C-alpha cells in the first residue's frame, strides 16, 4: 500500500512530518509512505528543505493521500498545473485526508461538497468562503474523506488511515509508540475518542472499543 503526503513549498513541518513518522510505525513490507511534492525539493515555512519521494501523479494513484498544510496553500489552489493533477484524486478508490489548510485544496477540488471540514483558525475563513461548513473540533471524517484542524491533530489523520487500511490494533500500536512516556494511555484514549465515531464498524480488533457509527 502506498500512502502519499502532499507537501508544497512553505509546508508546515508538524503537518507533514508527524504524519510521516506515525504512518511509518506500521513498518510492514507492503507499506510505503512518501512525501509527494510538485518539485524535486520544497522548503518549509521554517527553512527545512526536503527532497521529493514521489510525484503528485504517483500520489493520485496511491491507496491513501494526506494533503499537507503550509503558508502558501492559497497560491497552490491558484496554480492550474498543480490543481489539474490533483483533480485525479478520487475518494471512490482511495482514502483522502487533509491537514489544516489542506482542507482548502479539497474544497477547491469539489471534494467537500456537502461534507463539513476541520481546519486551522487561519484557514477557516477561506474554507468557509469556498462554501464549506467548518467544525469546531480537531477531526472529522465522512466515508473515505477526513480532515483535521491544528498541527498536533496530524496524528489523528495518520491513525485514521492506519485503522482503515491495517486495522485498529496497528493504529493503536502506532499511537502508543509516539505518545509521551507516562501519558501513553491517556494520549491513545484521547485519540480514539476523536477517531472512533468516524470509523466503519469493523476496522480491526481493538478491545473495549465504543460502538461506532457510520
Amino acid at each position: 500500500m502506498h500512502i502519499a503526503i502532499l507537501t508544497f513549498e512553505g509546508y508546515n513541518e508538524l503537518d507533514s512530518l508527524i504524519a510521516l513518522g506515525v504512518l511509518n510505525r506500521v513498518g510492514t513490507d507492503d507499506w510505503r509512505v512518501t512525501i509527494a511534492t510538485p518539485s524535486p525539493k520544497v522548503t518549509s515555512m521554517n527553512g527545512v528543505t526536503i527532497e521529493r519521494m514521489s510525484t503528485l501523479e504517483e500520489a493520485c494513484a496511491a491507496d491513501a493521500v494526506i494533503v499537507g498544510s503550509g503558508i502558501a496553500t492559497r497560491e497552490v489552489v491558484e496554480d492550474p498545473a498543480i490543481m489539474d493533477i490533483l483533480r485525479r484524486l478520487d475518494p471512490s478508490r482511495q482514502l483522502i485526508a487533509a491537514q489544516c489548510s489542506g482542507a482548502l485544496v479539497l474544497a477547491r477540488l469539489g471534494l467537500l461538497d456537502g461534507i463539513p471540514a476541520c481546519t486551522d483558525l487561519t484557514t477557516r475563513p477561506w474554507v468557509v468562503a469556498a462554501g464549506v461548513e467548518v467544525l469546531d473540533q480537531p477531526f472529522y471524517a465522512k466515508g473515505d474523506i477526513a480532515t483535521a484542524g491544528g498541527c498536533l491533530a496530524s496524528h489523528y489523520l495518520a491513525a485514521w488511515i492506519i485503522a482503515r487500511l491495517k486495522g485498529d490494533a496497528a493504529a493503536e500500536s502506532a499511537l502508543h509508540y509516539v505518545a509521551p512516556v507516562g501519558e501513553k494511555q491517556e494520549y491513545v484514549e484521547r485519540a480514539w475518542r476523536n477517531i472512533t465515531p468516524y470509523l466503519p464498524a469493523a476496522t480491526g480488533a481493538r478491545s473495549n472499543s465504543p460502538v461506532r457509527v457510520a
Side-chain angles (χ1 to χ4, degrees):
M1 293 181 181
H2 179 202
I3 299 87
I5 304 170
L6 305 189
T7 304
F8 305 102
E9 191 69 21
Y11 73 93
N12 185 320
E13 305 93 336
L14 296 176
D15 293 342
S16 288
L17 301 183
I18 288 177
L20 178 77
V22 176
L23 287 163
N24 270 314
R25 295 269 57 87
V26 172
T28 58
D29 290 341
D30 65 342
W31 190 261
R32 175 178 171 237
V33 185
T34 66
I35 297 291
T37 65
S39 57
K41 295 181 180 181
V42 291
T43 300
S44 76
M45 59 193 295
N46 294 306
V48 178
T49 299
I50 56 176
E51 295 184 357
R52 177 167 60 198
M53 299 170 67
S54 63
T55 64
L56 298 186
E57 289 87 351
E58 289 173 310
C60 289
D63 299 282
V65 178
I66 295 177
V67 182
S69 184
I71 59 173
T73 305
R74 285 189 293 175
E75 286 80 1
V76 168
V77 298
E78 297 300 334
D79 187 326
I82 291 176
M83 295 299 282
D84 284 349
I85 295 172
L86 298 186
R87 287 189 180 90
R88 304 174 197 170
L89 293 173
D90 184 355
S92 71
R93 58 176 176 76
Q94 58 191 165
L95 301 178
I96 299 176
Q99 173 68 34
C100 288
S101 65
L104 180 61
V105 177
L106 297 192
R108 293 290 290 271
L109 289 171
L111 295 176
L112 295 179
D113 289 349
I115 301 176
C118 301
T119 191
D120 62 280
L121 298 180
T122 299
T123 307
R124 181 184 184 113
W126 308 331
V127 175
V128 170
V132 176
E133 177 190 359
V134 175
L135 303 173
D136 186 23
Q137 60 189 61
F139 177 85
Y140 179 82
K142 183 175 182 180
D144 292 337
I145 295 178
T147 53
C151 302
L152 295 182
S154 54
H155 67 293
Y156 295 156
L157 289 183
W160 176 77
I161 287 174
I162 296 171
R164 290 292 309 274
L165 297 179
K166 285 290 188 177
D168 290 1
E172 183 166 2
S173 176
L175 288 169
H176 188 272
Y177 185 97
V178 302
V181 172
E183 299 178 348
K184 288 186 179 293
Q185 182 175 352
E186 174 188 357
Y187 190 95
V188 171
E189 288 301 322
R190 182 174 64 247
W192 280 115
R193 285 196 301 271
N194 284 289
I195 298 167
T196 294
Y198 309 108
L199 288 173
T203 57
R206 183 173 185 262
S207 61
N208 300 318
S209 295
V211 176
R212 294 173 183 164
V213 295

mmCIF file of all heavy atoms in Angstrom, residues 131-154:
data_model
loop_
_atom_site.group_PDB
_atom_site.id
_atom_site.type_symbol
_atom_site.label_atom_id
_atom_site.label_comp_id
_atom_site.label_asym_id
_atom_site.label_seq_id
_atom_site.Cartn_x
_atom_site.Cartn_y
_atom_site.Cartn_z
ATOM 1 N N GLY A 131 -17.460 27.746 0.568
ATOM 2 C CA GLY A 131 -18.767 27.111 0.677
ATOM 3 C C GLY A 131 -18.814 25.874 1.544
ATOM 4 O O GLY A 131 -19.767 25.096 1.467
ATOM 5 N N VAL A 132 -17.809 25.708 2.404
ATOM 6 C CA VAL A 132 -17.737 24.518 3.253
ATOM 7 C C VAL A 132 -17.975 24.890 4.712
ATOM 8 O O VAL A 132 -17.399 25.864 5.210
ATOM 9 C CB VAL A 132 -16.367 23.826 3.107
ATOM 10 C CG1 VAL A 132 -16.247 22.644 4.064
ATOM 11 C CG2 VAL A 132 -16.145 23.375 1.668
ATOM 12 N N GLU A 133 -18.805 24.136 5.396
ATOM 13 C CA GLU A 133 -19.011 24.334 6.827
ATOM 14 C C GLU A 133 -17.770 23.875 7.583
ATOM 15 O O GLU A 133 -17.257 22.772 7.354
ATOM 16 C CB GLU A 133 -20.214 23.530 7.308
ATOM 17 C CG GLU A 133 -20.453 23.615 8.811
ATOM 18 C CD GLU A 133 -21.488 22.627 9.309
ATOM 19 O OE1 GLU A 133 -22.042 21.878 8.476
ATOM 20 O OE2 GLU A 133 -21.729 22.604 10.536
ATOM 21 N N VAL A 134 -17.270 24.715 8.483
ATOM 22 C CA VAL A 134 -16.092 24.365 9.284
ATOM 23 C C VAL A 134 -16.532 24.036 10.701
ATOM 24 O O VAL A 134 -17.247 24.807 11.345
ATOM 25 C CB VAL A 134 -15.053 25.499 9.286
ATOM 26 C CG1 VAL A 134 -13.901 25.167 10.233
ATOM 27 C CG2 VAL A 134 -14.511 25.728 7.872
ATOM 28 N N LEU A 135 -16.079 22.889 11.196
ATOM 29 C CA LEU A 135 -16.438 22.417 12.526
ATOM 30 C C LEU A 135 -15.420 22.871 13.567
ATOM 31 O O LEU A 135 -14.230 22.983 13.272
ATOM 32 C CB LEU A 135 -16.508 20.888 12.524
ATOM 33 C CG LEU A 135 -17.466 20.255 11.511
ATOM 34 C CD1 LEU A 135 -17.288 18.739 11.502
ATOM 35 C CD2 LEU A 135 -18.906 20.633 11.821
ATOM 36 N N ASP A 136 -15.884 23.087 14.781
ATOM 37 C CA ASP A 136 -15.002 23.470 15.885
ATOM 38 C C ASP A 136 -14.554 22.209 16.622
ATOM 39 O O ASP A 136 -14.924 21.971 17.766
ATOM 40 C CB ASP A 136 -15.723 24.436 16.822
ATOM 41 C CG ASP A 136 -14.791 24.986 17.898
ATOM 42 O OD1 ASP A 136 -13.564 24.982 17.672
ATOM 43 O OD2 ASP A 136 -15.287 25.406 18.962
ATOM 44 N N GLN A 137 -13.789 21.385 15.946
ATOM 45 C CA GLN A 137 -13.270 20.145 16.509
ATOM 46 C C GLN A 137 -12.018 19.751 15.740
ATOM 47 O O GLN A 137 -11.768 20.254 14.644
ATOM 48 C CB GLN A 137 -14.332 19.037 16.440
ATOM 49 C CG GLN A 137 -14.802 18.693 15.043
ATOM 50 C CD GLN A 137 -16.014 17.758 15.054
ATOM 51 O OE1 GLN A 137 -17.070 18.105 15.574
ATOM 52 N NE2 GLN A 137 -15.859 16.564 14.482
ATOM 53 N N PRO A 138 -11.204 18.833 16.302
ATOM 54 C CA PRO A 138 -9.917 18.540 15.667
ATOM 55 C C PRO A 138 -9.961 17.585 14.497
ATOM 56 O O PRO A 138 -9.043 17.573 13.667
ATOM 57 C CB PRO A 138 -9.096 17.939 16.812
ATOM 58 C CG PRO A 138 -10.119 17.298 17.703
ATOM 59 C CD PRO A 138 -11.317 18.202 17.626
ATOM 60 N N PHE A 139 -11.021 16.746 14.426
ATOM 61 C CA PHE A 139 -11.040 15.705 13.403
ATOM 62 C C PHE A 139 -12.473 15.408 12.991
ATOM 63 O O PHE A 139 -13.385 15.409 13.826
ATOM 64 C CB PHE A 139 -10.384 14.426 13.939
ATOM 65 C CG PHE A 139 -10.408 13.268 12.970
ATOM 66 C CD1 PHE A 139 -9.428 13.142 12.000
ATOM 67 C CD2 PHE A 139 -11.410 12.310 13.043
ATOM 68 C CE1 PHE A 139 -9.462 12.077 11.102
ATOM 69 C CE2 PHE A 139 -11.453 11.244 12.147
ATOM 70 C CZ PHE A 139 -10.471 11.136 11.183
ATOM 71 N N TYR A 140 -12.644 15.141 11.697
ATOM 72 C CA TYR A 140 -13.950 14.724 11.183
ATOM 73 C C TYR A 140 -13.713 13.896 9.929
ATOM 74 O O TYR A 140 -12.810 14.180 9.137
ATOM 75 C CB TYR A 140 -14.832 15.924 10.835
ATOM 76 C CG TYR A 140 -16.181 15.534 10.269
ATOM 77 C CD1 TYR A 140 -17.225 15.166 11.102
ATOM 78 C CD2 TYR A 140 -16.394 15.494 8.885
ATOM 79 C CE1 TYR A 140 -18.461 14.782 10.589
ATOM 80 C CE2 TYR A 140 -17.627 15.108 8.366
ATOM 81 C CZ TYR A 140 -18.652 14.753 9.232
ATOM 82 O OH TYR A 140 -19.871 14.361 8.726
ATOM 83 N N ALA A 141 -14.520 12.880 9.763
ATOM 84 C CA ALA A 141 -14.452 12.079 8.534
ATOM 85 C C ALA A 141 -15.848 11.666 8.109
ATOM 86 O O ALA A 141 -16.733 11.458 8.946
ATOM 87 C CB ALA A 141 -13.579 10.837 8.743
ATOM 88 N N LYS A 142 -16.033 11.573 6.833
ATOM 89 C CA LYS A 142 -17.266 11.034 6.263
ATOM 90 C C LYS A 142 -16.867 10.143 5.111
ATOM 91 O O LYS A 142 -16.224 10.585 4.154
ATOM 92 C CB LYS A 142 -18.193 12.146 5.776
ATOM 93 C CG LYS A 142 -19.517 11.607 5.242
ATOM 94 C CD LYS A 142 -20.476 12.725 4.881
ATOM 95 C CE LYS A 142 -21.805 12.157 4.393
ATOM 96 N NZ LYS A 142 -22.763 13.244 4.042
ATOM 97 N N GLY A 143 -17.222 8.867 5.226
ATOM 98 C CA GLY A 143 -16.807 7.931 4.197
ATOM 99 C C GLY A 143 -15.299 7.852 4.114
ATOM 100 O O GLY A 143 -14.622 7.614 5.112
ATOM 101 N N ASP A 144 -14.767 8.104 2.939
ATOM 102 C CA ASP A 144 -13.331 7.985 2.712
ATOM 103 C C ASP A 144 -12.612 9.329 2.680
ATOM 104 O O ASP A 144 -11.489 9.423 2.171
ATOM 105 C CB ASP A 144 -13.074 7.230 1.404
ATOM 106 C CG ASP A 144 -13.502 5.771 1.498
ATOM 107 O OD1 ASP A 144 -13.572 5.253 2.630
ATOM 108 O OD2 ASP A 144 -13.769 5.155 0.449
ATOM 109 N N ILE A 145 -13.242 10.373 3.220
ATOM 110 C CA ILE A 145 -12.625 11.701 3.281
ATOM 111 C C ILE A 145 -12.546 12.150 4.729
ATOM 112 O O ILE A 145 -13.527 12.072 5.472
ATOM 113 C CB ILE A 145 -13.420 12.720 2.448
ATOM 114 C CG1 ILE A 145 -13.363 12.351 0.962
ATOM 115 C CG2 ILE A 145 -12.881 14.128 2.661
ATOM 116 C CD1 ILE A 145 -14.159 13.283 0.066
ATOM 117 N N ALA A 146 -11.374 12.617 5.136
ATOM 118 C CA ALA A 146 -11.170 13.085 6.509
ATOM 119 C C ALA A 146 -10.411 14.402 6.505
ATOM 120 O O ALA A 146 -9.618 14.683 5.596
ATOM 121 C CB ALA A 146 -10.392 12.044 7.322
ATOM 122 N N THR A 147 -10.671 15.216 7.527
ATOM 123 C CA THR A 147 -9.934 16.468 7.705
ATOM 124 C C THR A 147 -9.579 16.628 9.171
ATOM 125 O O THR A 147 -10.268 16.127 10.056
ATOM 126 C CB THR A 147 -10.756 17.692 7.248
ATOM 127 O OG1 THR A 147 -12.037 17.678 7.897
ATOM 128 C CG2 THR A 147 -10.956 17.693 5.737
ATOM 129 N N ALA A 148 -8.495 17.364 9.421
ATOM 130 C CA ALA A 148 -8.062 17.640 10.789
ATOM 131 C C ALA A 148 -7.630 19.089 10.888
ATOM 132 O O ALA A 148 -7.096 19.660 9.935
ATOM 133 C CB ALA A 148 -6.919 16.712 11.201
ATOM 134 N N GLY A 149 -7.859 19.678 12.048
ATOM 135 C CA GLY A 149 -7.503 21.073 12.264
ATOM 136 C C GLY A 149 -6.559 21.227 13.445
ATOM 137 O O GLY A 149 -6.802 20.678 14.517
ATOM 138 N N GLY A 150 -5.474 21.963 13.235
ATOM 139 C CA GLY A 150 -4.463 22.153 14.263
ATOM 140 C C GLY A 150 -3.287 21.231 14.008
ATOM 141 O O GLY A 150 -3.462 20.032 13.751
ATOM 142 N N CYS A 151 -2.072 21.771 14.077
ATOM 143 C CA CYS A 151 -0.881 20.990 13.720
ATOM 144 C C CYS A 151 -0.797 19.664 14.468
ATOM 145 O O CYS A 151 -0.458 18.633 13.885
ATOM 146 C CB CYS A 151 0.387 21.806 14.010
ATOM 147 S SG CYS A 151 0.489 23.389 13.155
ATOM 148 N N LEU A 152 -1.093 19.698 15.765
ATOM 149 C CA LEU A 152 -0.945 18.495 16.567
ATOM 150 C C LEU A 152 -2.131 17.543 16.443
ATOM 151 O O LEU A 152 -2.227 16.568 17.193
ATOM 152 C CB LEU A 152 -0.694 18.867 18.024
ATOM 153 C CG LEU A 152 0.625 19.608 18.270
ATOM 154 C CD1 LEU A 152 0.812 19.894 19.747
ATOM 155 C CD2 LEU A 152 1.815 18.805 17.735
ATOM 156 N N ALA A 153 -3.021 17.808 15.489
ATOM 157 C CA ALA A 153 -4.069 16.846 15.146
ATOM 158 C C ALA A 153 -3.632 15.945 14.003
ATOM 159 O O ALA A 153 -4.387 15.056 13.595
ATOM 160 C CB ALA A 153 -5.360 17.566 14.775
ATOM 161 N N SER A 154 -2.418 16.131 13.508
ATOM 162 C CA SER A 154 -1.974 15.350 12.352
ATOM 163 C C SER A 154 -1.885 13.859 12.664
ATOM 164 O O SER A 154 -2.067 13.024 11.776
ATOM 165 C CB SER A 154 -0.624 15.862 11.844
ATOM 166 O OG SER A 154 0.336 15.882 12.881
#
